[in-house]
Amino acid sequence: APQSRSIIVQWMLEELGEPYRLHLLNLKKDEHKQPGYLAVNPMGKVPAIAHKGVVVTEAAAICCYLADAYPSAGLNVPVGDLRRGPYLKWLFFGPSCLEPAIIDRMFKRPDVMPGALGYGSYDATLDLVAKAVATGSYLLGPHFSAADVVIGSGLTWGMMIKALPERPEFTAYVARLRERQALQRVYAKDAELAVAQ
């Protein structure tokens, strides 16, 4: 679905360099709530992938799955490599901390009980991400990974909707990501799909 979380997985697919086929859904026409798609994802959310008979939903889980399924692309950190811990942390920090913090800010929800929030506090979340993206080209230093797809997508979206400040660390990191050919192709495709709907 254009202009949705689907762009995260499209970017991942482009980075893999493997062939894939898109099944387009029009969210404005509620095509994601029809029985055919609910059989794929009962939550009616996009994106979802089907790979070798396995259906995977949730953008970060899809990115993790694809990175492991296609290790030759170098987007994962293999089991046994000590960098896998930080890699997995950042992969899941996106949907479990960064995105909820952005959504709370977007809807102007108060930071009433930070201890009850899965991400703690908005400021602490942003400070942690800023520190991580300021230390090297990518989250794992020179190694671009699926975690960068997830965190980079979240930062881009958060700044676009003005729920995140354009901190220098964020803007520099996102600028580095935008130089990637795969992401440029995805932005072009997404724009075309949005116009076609």
Side-chain angles (χ1 to χ4, degrees):
Q3 300 177 335
S4 74
R5 285 180 180 88
S6 294
I7 201 166
I8 303 166
V9 172
Q10 281 183 263
W11 179 13
M12 184 68 187
L13 289 165
E14 285 292 323
E15 289 285 354
L16 290 175
E18 297 289 336
Y20 65 91
R21 182 175 50 89
L22 291 178
H23 178 85
L24 191 61
L25 293 174
N26 188 323
L27 301 183
K28 292 176 185 169
K29 294 181 179 177
D30 284 341
E31 291 177 355
H32 59 300
K33 296 179 181 176
Q34 300 306 311
Y37 187 69
L38 291 175
V40 174
N41 184 353
M43 297 290 291
K45 298 184 340 179
V46 294
I49 65 162
H51 177 256
K52 297 183 179 182
V54 175
V55 172
V56 186
T57 63
E58 306 304 324
I62 295 169
C63 289
C64 184
Y65 175 89
L66 290 171
D68 287 342
Y70 295 94
S72 63
L75 299 173
N76 71 340
V77 175
V79 173
D81 185 321
L82 295 178
R83 295 173 306 143
R84 188 157 173 95
Y87 162 73
L88 290 173
K89 170 195 144 178
W90 287 116
L91 255 177
F92 300 107
F93 189 89
S96 64
C97 297
L98 182 60
E99 188 174 321
I102 292 169
I103 291 171
D104 281 353
R105 185 55 50 112
M106 183 173 71
F107 289 114
K108 298 178 174 58
R109 295 177 185 150
D111 250 354
V112 181
M113 293 179 57
L117 300 173
Y119 60 88
S121 76
Y122 177 82
D123 291 332
T125 299
L126 298 194
D127 288 346
L128 184 62
V129 176
K131 183 178 177 185
V133 300
T135 59
S137 297
Y138 304 113
L139 290 165
L140 301 177
H143 178 192
F144 175 83
S145 72
D148 293 293
V149 172
V150 172
I151 295 295
S153 295
L155 289 176
T156 300
W157 172 68
M159 288 189 294
M160 181 186 72
I161 64 167
K162 307 295 185 206
L164 289 181
E166 293 188 8
R167 290 173 68 158
E169 304 94 325
F170 297 163
T171 57
Y173 174 66
V174 167
R176 288 191 297 277
L177 296 176
R178 286 188 175 148
E179 292 174 5
R180 298 189 67 81
Q181 298 278 321
L183 185 54
Q184 291 173 19
R185 288 192 302 272
V186 168
Y187 282 152
K189 285 180 185 181
D190 196 63
E192 288 173 16
L193 292 172
V195 169
Q197 285 196 334

